Amino acid sequence: MIKIGDRLPNSTFTVMTSEGPKPRTTDEVFAGKKVVLFALPGAFTPTCSNNHLPGFRDNLDAIKAKGVDTVAVTAVNDAFVMGAWAKSSDCDGKIEFLADGSAKFAQAIGLGLDLTERGMGMRSRRYSMLVEDGVVKTLNVEEGTGAEASGALTMLGQI
Ligand code: BEZ
């Protein structure tokens, strides 16, 4: 599992744009920037939609006021699903939605979550991290079923 002080591996996400899905590299997201990244098992799932994502949306201004350039969310879903989730959650244009459709990033950082038995295939664990110029500064991996340890309020206290 990735740890504090490690550099994120090079990876390529997909983002939804007005022209359709486009690649977005880890360099484009993280180089030279202070980024809060959080991850969850799936777009539109209850805890993710009702708790984890809204927490970051509702605390976005407070997080940005601490010098964070970007708040981004990643999940193992395709860019069409992530784009639809951004719109329906009123996060479009506020939070970056990074589709990790084949779980390459989640697995590269050792935070994949196998939900095959639940019919969901390979997913991502729920976590949040503060990343400065590509290097992990804080890491909160959720151990239980909630979204507190990796939630926006925990992150606000760490920036
Ligand atoms: C959730 O509510 O976040 C969730 C539901 C099913 C599987 C994984 C996550």
Side-chain angles (χ1 to χ4, degrees):
M1 189 194 301
I2 197 156
K3 57 186 189 311
I4 291 169
D6 286 349
R7 179 168 290 282
L8 291 179
N10 289 329
S11 195
T12 302
F13 301 104
T14 310
V15 293
M16 183 50 79
T17 74
S18 54
E19 294 159 359
K22 300 273 184 206
R24 188 147 170 80
T25 66
T26 38
D27 253 11
E28 288 168 334
V29 178
F30 297 102
K33 293 185 198 147
K34 197 167 174 175
V35 179
V36 166
L37 175 70
F38 65 105
L40 29 80
F44 294 105
T45 59
T47 306
C48 307
S49 276
N50 300 332
N51 180 344
H52 209 190
L53 178 62
F56 282 94
R57 178 197 61 206
D58 297 345
N59 287 286
L60 193 60
D61 289 347
I63 292 171
K64 292 256 178 113
K66 293 199 168 198
V68 169
D69 299 298
T70 306
V71 176
V73 58
T74 182
V76 181
N77 290 113
D78 64 64
F80 296 97
V81 168
M82 290 296 268
W85 198 35
K87 284 199 166 73
S88 73
S89 60
D90 191 29
C91 290
D92 203 21
K94 300 175 183 172
I95 291 175
E96 274 205 47
F97 280 64
L98 304 173
D100 180 26
S102 300
K104 284 187 178 170
F105 180 75
Q107 291 188 289
I109 63 171
L111 285 165
L113 174 66
D114 188 353
L115 293 181
T116 301
E117 292 309 311
R118 297 182 69 173
M120 296 173 71
M122 182 54 69
R123 298 292 176 130
S124 171
R125 288 187 67 179
R126 190 186 301 282
Y127 64 85
S128 63
M129 55 171 71
L130 176 66
V131 184
E132 289 184 20
D133 196 20
V135 175
V136 178
K137 295 294 177 183
T138 72
L139 176 62
N140 308 301
V141 181
E142 201 74 46
E143 296 296 339
T145 53
E148 279 73 44
S150 62
L153 295 181
T154 303
M155 179 54 70
L156 254 182
Q158 294 174 333
I159 305 170

